[in-house]
Amino acid sequence: MEAVVAKEFSRNKIHPRKFALWVACASIMMMFAAFTSAIIVRQAAGNWLEFRLPDIFYFNTIVILLSSITLHSSYLAFKRGNTNLYRGMLAATFFLGLTFLVLQYQGWQTLTDIGVALNTNPSGSFVYVVSGVHAAHILGGVGVLVVAMLHAFLLPHKVTAARKLRFELTLTYWHFVDFLWIYLLSFFTLLY
Amino acid sequence: MANTAIKPVVTEEELLIEEYGYDDHFHEHHHGDKYQSNFITTYIFSQDHKIIAKQFLITGMFWAIIGALMSLVFRLQLGFPEENMAWLRPVLGKWITINDAGMGSLAPEFYYALVTMHGTILVFFVLTAGLSGTFSNLLIPLQIGARDMASPFLNMLSYWFFFLAGMIMFFSLFLSTGPFAGGWTAYPPLSALPQASSGSGAGMTLWILSLVFFVVSVLLGGINYITTVLNLRTKGMTMWRLPLTIWAFFVTAILGLLSFPVLVSGFLLLMFDRSMGTSFYLSEIFTGGQALDNVGGSPILYQHLFWFLGHPEVYIIILPAMGLVSEVLSVHSRKPIFGYKAMVYSILAIGFLSFIVWAHHMFMSGVNPFISNFFVIFTLIIAVPSAVKVFNWIATVYGGNIRFTAASLFAIGFVSMFISGGLTGIFLGNSAIDIQLHDTYFVVAHFHIVMGVAAFFGMFAGIYNWFPKMFGRFMNETLGKLHFWGTMIGAYAVFWPMHYLGMAGVPRRYYRFDSFEAFGQFSAMNQFITIAAIITFAFQVIFVVNFFYSIWKGKKMTTLNPWGATTLEWTTPINPGHGNWPGKIPTVQRWAYDYGKDGKEFISQVKPLEEGESETH
Ligand code: HEM
Ligand SMILES: [Cu+2]
């Protein structure tokens, strides 16, 4: 693929790969916008089971916010040449990402325990499905982090243009799924 | 393709590229051959946009033929409900039931499956992938002066996801319970309850799976098209110098990227309703004498999610056709496109408006009539940019030095079809009139003319015009013109009478009409339509034969620029290799429509402005 990504690119302010990622994020955003619009419309129609979102969802918010911070500081350390911080913060992000997924799963279990099962009422079903689709995006992000860790731990620490670009792509995506969670949580909080 | 033996004389454009072109040292890397070295990487898992374009085109043609054959079967049923269909048994098997008297008849559930598959295949596989996939791939890099797409690899994946989607759908045709049969829009409950009809089980599961892969294909393609247009334009190719084809593909890709994900959301909820017992779309349903325990769902929610994609989707289909037609009309009437900027703005306006009119498909589904008013207004406003475009096409052709080639005839035919179908859209866009017309043959006539036939005409115009660029040979013009006149007359013969059926209230998606007192009187008209459809299909056979014959045996292209066009694709060699231009990439000096300027027939985009020549057109 590198091959055809020829010289034309050097003239651009933003790397096409990065631009493509932004476009993909816009597309993912539309998918979630569809979900949240569906929630609004459905809630307005009545027969809407009200329940309080388990606290674990809020706790999880802290986890994911924290992971954005750790990844960002890993990126800064990468650029500065601070290898230990770079590797350490990257690993921390990876574990925070995994923690998010585990807590998310526990959140669903708590929901079921308080009597809001997947198929009890659409209000609850939406929480499961929408947060589940979000978790799938986190899972994808965790996969990307694994690749980033392989780079960080197996290769000597060199700040090349290609590696910087790859890191920036990872970073952008991770911040994006983080933002996505805040967006979804605000709906879950306001409409339930 | 074998390389042509005669090397044509070096053209002025080639010299200009040599002089003013941009040297990106592309051919010094020797990478091109690395992944084009054997048959598999060259023709199958190719990453070259030109090959991928052909893959989309030929796959699209395959599906077009399947979809058209399906329509012939259900047209036979509608035109001749009493006829013996036993002769179709070798093809359709158990879906033709034969009674004691030896009379074969089409199984009603398979009638619905055919209609559903016909719609799905034509809308998604042929007119979305086959049209925008083919020409976006072929023309975006060639017309903006790029070596290839931004990511040739994702581009390849885009094709293979489409292929996979097609395979799954194809497989579903052979299920013992039949393919999905609930209409191409897949409304619940028919799509949400596996027990609702025979196609709602495995058929629907495969349908949804196929379309999810299809969406992946559209998204991968779209990301690439947008990134390529914005980032890989050659030096001097400003947005305002882009040919209208590129503008159209660009906006099409944006529409796809913003609307298809919404369909995926709708599908995900549907999948949960199908298999996990949720009630997003289901409420208080009795089936098989039993009440289901789903409560609280709303089928209308699905309709909203579907049509939020569905309406932009119809423009995803028509915009590329509009782009191709604009280009072909300008080239073959030897005149600049009339109102270039107005054309661009109307593409953008149509693109924007297409997101706020979706509920015009739902006027009769019980949405709040006050909300309907909002959608009526925006729907009617779409007529304005549409009319601007029509006006500009006519003004482009008017007074031109028109060459009546197969390509330009189809482009003119497109304008005619778009006018006819657009006018009926204005009827349908009024929620009061829609009370009578909704779900009748009037709607069928509307969208077949404005979308089906018009988009096909745009595609044909594109194929006849760019065939030499794709295969280095020409299609036969005489057969092309025959194809045009047969299709033009045939399509009107098929779809015009449907307006009368619709006004009389004849509903769409009915298996037979002869048993209804109110509709029985139309049997002659239905026979006429069926016969016209068969004849029109026969004319498409001419096209298919011409197409494949010409690939190998057509008249060879001997000059680089047979139509005398200004755009960059005609500055590439007859059989452009990997990277499109053998040496430097061209830089662009002027807009794409300098026809008949300062007494010259046409001036290529690579030609710098003369001393004292003004760029304004
Ligand atoms: C002036 C522009 C147009 C207007 C005002 C318009 C309006 C409408 C309306 C109101 C309906 C719904 C009718 C009903 O179901 O009762 C409809 C159906 C449809 N229109 Fe248009 N339309 C326009 C142009 C187009 C174009 C350009 C395309 C495609 C290229 C298109 C494709 C369709 C399709 C596919 C359907 C039917 C879908 C279905 O129910 O299966 N329309 N149109
Ligand atoms: Cu519409």
Side-chain angles (χ1 to χ4, degrees), chain A residues 1 3-5 7-9 11-12 14 16 19-20 23-24 27 30-31 34-35 38 42 47 118-119 122 125-126, chain B residues 22 24 31 35 147-148 150-151 219 223 227 230-233 257-258 261-262 265 276-280 296 308 578:
Chain A
M1 190 180 358
V4 172
V5 183
K7 275 286 192 295
E8 290 113 303
F9 294 170
R11 301 198 309 277
N12 301 309
I14 173 168
F19 182 81
V23 176
S27 182
M30 280 309 288
M31 183 165 120
F35 279 132
R42 180 59 196 79
N47 183 9
L118 174 61
N119 56 9
S125 314
F126 270 117
Chain B
Y22 175 83
D24 58 355
H31 45 259
Y35 62 75
R147 296 289 185 194
D148 205 311
S151 171
L219 297 182
I223 290 176
T227 311
L230 287 182
N231 292 282
L232 297 193
R233 278 169 289 127
L257 224 62
L258 295 180
V262 175
S265 297
M276 305 299 288
T278 55
S279 311
F280 291 113
F308 189 88
H578 176 63

Side-chain angles (χ1 to χ4, degrees), chain B residues 39-40 85 115 128 174 181 241 289 294-295 311 323 386 418 445 456 506 509 537 545 561 563 583-584 588:
Chain B
F39 181 81
I40 296 207
M85 295 241 214
V115 178
T128 304
F174 301 100
R241 284 177 175 172
N294 300 81
V295 278
H311 188 81
S386 309
F418 189 72
F456 260 106
V506 178
R509 291 176 174 153
F537 179 81
V545 170
N561 190 356
W563 309 126
K584 299 176 177 175
V588 167

Side-chain angles (χ1 to χ4, degrees), chain B residues 197-269:
Chain B
S197 75
S198 76
S200 300
M204 180 59 191
T205 304
L206 293 183
W207 187 92
I208 226 176
L209 195 65
S210 165
L211 279 198
V212 168
F213 284 123
F214 183 80
V215 174
V216 173
S217 157
V218 171
L219 297 182
L220 291 177
I223 290 176
N224 236 331
Y225 305 154
I226 294 173
T227 311
T228 309
V229 170
L230 287 182
N231 292 282
L232 297 193
R233 278 169 289 127
T234 182
K235 221 159 125 195
M237 181 60 97
T238 58
M239 292 301 271
W240 288 116
R241 284 177 175 172
L242 286 176
L244 287 172
T245 34
I246 304 299
W247 269 108
F249 302 146
F250 175 62
V251 174
T252 301
I254 296 178
L255 295 189
L257 224 62
L258 295 180
S259 61
F260 271 104
V262 175
L263 183 69
V264 173
S265 297
F267 281 172
L268 272 166
L269 300 181

Side-chain angles (χ1 to χ4, degrees), chain B residues 103-411:
Chain B
M103 264 283 287
S105 49
L106 185 67
E109 59 274 34
F110 200 64
Y111 172 86
Y112 291 115
L114 286 174
V115 178
T116 303
M117 286 297 125
H118 167 80
T120 309
I121 289 170
L122 265 297
V123 168
F124 293 110
F125 293 173
V126 181
L127 295 178
T128 304
L131 178 55
S132 125
T134 303
F135 287 101
S136 300
N137 265 303
L138 179 73
L139 293 179
I140 288 178
L142 284 174
Q143 288 193 330
I144 67 171
R147 296 289 185 194
D148 205 311
M149 286 288 176
S151 171
F153 177 72
L154 291 187
N155 208 25
M156 175 188 79
L157 282 187
S158 161
Y159 173 75
W160 287 103
F161 272 108
F162 166 47
F163 186 83
L164 178 64
M167 292 300 290
I168 295 172
M169 196 64 84
F170 194 68
F171 181 74
S172 85
L173 301 178
F174 301 100
L175 291 171
S176 66
T177 45
F180 181 54
W184 78 277
T185 52
Y187 283 178
L190 281 182
S191 60
L193 289 175
Q195 67 272 36
S197 75
S198 76
S200 300
M204 180 59 191
T205 304
L206 293 183
W207 187 92
I208 226 176
L209 195 65
S210 165
L211 279 198
V212 168
F213 284 123
F214 183 80
V215 174
V216 173
S217 157
V218 171
L219 297 182
L220 291 177
I223 290 176
N224 236 331
Y225 305 154
I226 294 173
T227 311
T228 309
V229 170
L230 287 182
N231 292 282
L232 297 193
R233 278 169 289 127
T234 182
K235 221 159 125 195
M237 181 60 97
T238 58
M239 292 301 271
W240 288 116
R241 284 177 175 172
L242 286 176
L244 287 172
T245 34
I246 304 299
W247 269 108
F249 302 146
F250 175 62
V251 174
T252 301
I254 296 178
L255 295 189
L257 224 62
L258 295 180
S259 61
F260 271 104
V262 175
L263 183 69
V264 173
S265 297
F267 281 172
L268 272 166
L269 300 181
L270 189 58
M271 288 183 206
F272 274 86
D273 274 5
R274 284 175 67 74
S275 50
M276 305 299 288
T278 55
S279 311
F280 291 113
Y281 304 136
L282 295 169
S283 193
E284 290 155 25
I285 289 184
F286 287 83
T287 176
Q290 278 201 322
L292 303 182
D293 36 349
N294 300 81
V295 278
S298 155
I300 307 280
L301 177 60
Y302 175 87
Q303 296 192 17
H304 278 298
L305 292 172
F306 182 87
W307 286 113
F308 189 88
L309 155 91
H311 188 81
E313 165 66 13
V314 305
Y315 282 93
I316 288 171
I317 289 175
I318 208 68
L319 283 176
M322 289 176 162
L324 296 168
V325 163
S326 304
E327 184 70 17
V328 169
L329 282 181
S330 172
V331 172
H332 291 273
S333 40
R334 313 310 288 149
K335 274 182 67 193
I337 191 82
F338 186 88
Y340 173 81
K341 284 209 172 174
M343 286 303 230
V344 174
Y345 285 125
S346 54
I347 291 176
L348 293 170
I350 288 175
F352 172 74
L353 288 169
S354 72
F355 280 105
I356 46 174
V357 299
W358 77 89
H360 65 211
H361 297 274
M362 300 163 57
F363 288 149
M364 295 301 292
S365 68
V367 294
N368 185 327
F370 292 102
I371 294 181
S372 284
N373 282 344
F374 169 91
F375 287 99
V376 169
I377 289 168
F378 285 110
T379 300
L380 298 185
I381 291 178
I382 284 212
V384 176
S386 309
V388 168
K389 296 199 76 84
V390 168
F391 180 84
N392 287 357
W393 286 318
I394 294 175
T396 302
V397 179
Y398 182 76
N401 205 348
I402 309 169
R403 294 188 305 223
F404 288 103
T405 57
S408 67
L409 285 173
F410 270 110

Side-chain angles (χ1 to χ4, degrees), chain B residues 184 307 314 318 361 379 425 428-429 434 438 446-447 450-451 508:
Chain B
W184 78 277
W307 286 113
V314 305
I318 208 68
H361 297 274
T379 300
L428 294 168
D434 195 49
H438 178 63
H446 159 68
F447 73 74
V450 76
M451 176 174 77
R508 66 195 281 203

